[in-house]
Structure formats: C-alpha cells, structure tokens
Amino acid sequence: MATRPLALFGGTFDPVHIGHLSVAWEAAELLDADVHLMPAAVPPHRPPPTASPGQRVAMLRSALQGQSRLTLDGRELERVGPSYTIDTLTQLRAEQGDRPLILLLGADAFAGLPSWHRWLEIFDVAHIGVLSRPGIDVALPDALVQAVKGRRANSPAELRDWAAGRVIELAVTPLEISATHIRELLAAGRDPRYLLPAGLFDDAQLLAPYRS
C-alpha cells in the first residue's frame, strides 16, 4: 500500500479559527493525509502576529484536542529569522524520506508563489495542494503557468506515486472568516463564540492578547 501523505498547512494562526480548521480537515479527508498545522514565527509577506509564539501554540493545542488527524508542528517557531517555506520543506524531506509531502496553499497564495523565497525549489521537495473555492478562478502569473506545466494531478491517488513535484486542486468549502475581524471584535469586547474553536473560551488567558 502506498505511503500516506503528510500535508502542511501554514499560517500565523493569530488566532486560529474554525475557517483554518475546517479547510485543514477537509483537505485531510480529500487527500487521506495527516496534516501538520505550522504557525509561522516571522512571516515574510505580512505584519508580525499580535500574539506571541507561545500564545499561538497554546491556542492551537486547545483547538486540536480530541482528534489525531490534525497535528501542531512548531518547528518554524524555533527558527531565527523569517519563516521561509523552502527551509521547512527541506528539513521535513530529510526527516520523511520518500514520503509524499503536500504543501497546502489557498488559491491566492498559490498565485503569489513566484514572490516567495526560492520558490521553484519547492517543486523538488513537495507537491502543492491548491485549496480552491468552487466557481472562483484566480489568474496565475506567466512564470507560475510555465512552472506547473506537466505537473497537474487529476486525483489525490496520483500523489502517492511521487514524493514531490505535482500540483492538485482541492475544492473545499469556503468559510469567509477573517482573523483580522476576529481580533477587532475581541478588542471591542465582543465574543466571537462561533468563529473560534470552543476550547479557546475555556481559558480566559488564551484570548487575552487580543482584549483591550
């Protein structure tokens, strides 16, 4: 039997919300893969997170209780400097051998891939799963169109035959939830109870970084 893939879902998770978890879980089911949620320490393409690394780890641990398919991976928080995805994938490739690795990206992030550090090398160490929303097409830059020629996979099963190098689109259920909006609600003293995992409300300290 082919090796079960390992998929990576990164972000600031500032805070982690049900949109993150829903997409990660749906991707895990579509790919029949384990998924590591990987918080970034210093994201190169966006402002620094409001919550500290330790606070974001605590929120993720709370959110991921009660299941085993989604797992916290804090390796990028241990690295000094920007969280470059290629460095993380190279490290995981050394650890995982020939196990298929899948980098999960939203469609907009995938379209911006040519702006990433050493982006072409990503295809050497991982597959890419593009989390697409039904009925919404995102224009790709020419450099990316050329890079993915011949790499498209038609089904998740194809990814098990290769350790890296393929691209697959995964149609997921869109949940229009904004971490920025959640932070604004919390700062205003609001209680975004059904936008966040229930466990985050069990300990007042978990959401303290966002309260005014």
Side-chain angles (χ1 to χ4, degrees), residues 3-151:
T3 304
R4 187 175 188 176
L6 171 61
L8 312 174
F9 185 51
T12 54
F13 302 113
D14 186 35
V16 59
H17 55 66
I18 62 168
H20 296 134
L21 300 176
S22 174
V23 166
W25 186 267
E26 198 166 356
E29 290 190 322
L30 290 170
L31 295 166
D32 189 23
D34 299 314
V35 176
H36 283 193
L37 273 67
M38 193 169 292
V42 183
H45 294 91
R46 59 193 307 171
T50 298
S52 71
Q55 290 167 328
R56 288 182 287 133
V57 164
M59 287 186 280
L60 279 161
R61 283 179 175 153
S62 175
L64 297 176
Q65 291 183 51
Q67 55 79 47
S68 59
R69 176 160 271 187
L70 307 182
T71 304
L72 169 65
D73 189 327
R75 72 183 65 224
E76 290 195 346
L77 299 177
E78 301 169 1
R79 186 181 303 144
V80 177
S83 299
Y84 290 126
T85 300
I86 184 59
D87 295 332
T88 300
L89 292 172
T90 300
Q91 182 183 27
L92 276 165
R93 172 55 63 210
E95 294 173 3
Q96 299 292 329
D98 292 334
R99 183 182 187 183
L101 297 179
I102 306 168
L103 175 63
L104 300 175
L105 296 177
D108 291 338
F110 179 63
L113 194 63
S115 68
W116 289 29
H117 181 62
R118 294 163 49 200
W119 69 280
L120 282 170
E121 296 178 37
I122 290 175
F123 295 106
D124 296 330
V125 289
H127 302 301
I128 295 180
V130 183
L131 305 170
S132 62
R133 295 179 292 177
I136 297 179
D137 293 323
V138 177
L140 303 181
D142 291 342
L144 186 55
V145 171
Q146 293 300 317
V148 302
K149 275 187 177 179
R151 297 185 183 275

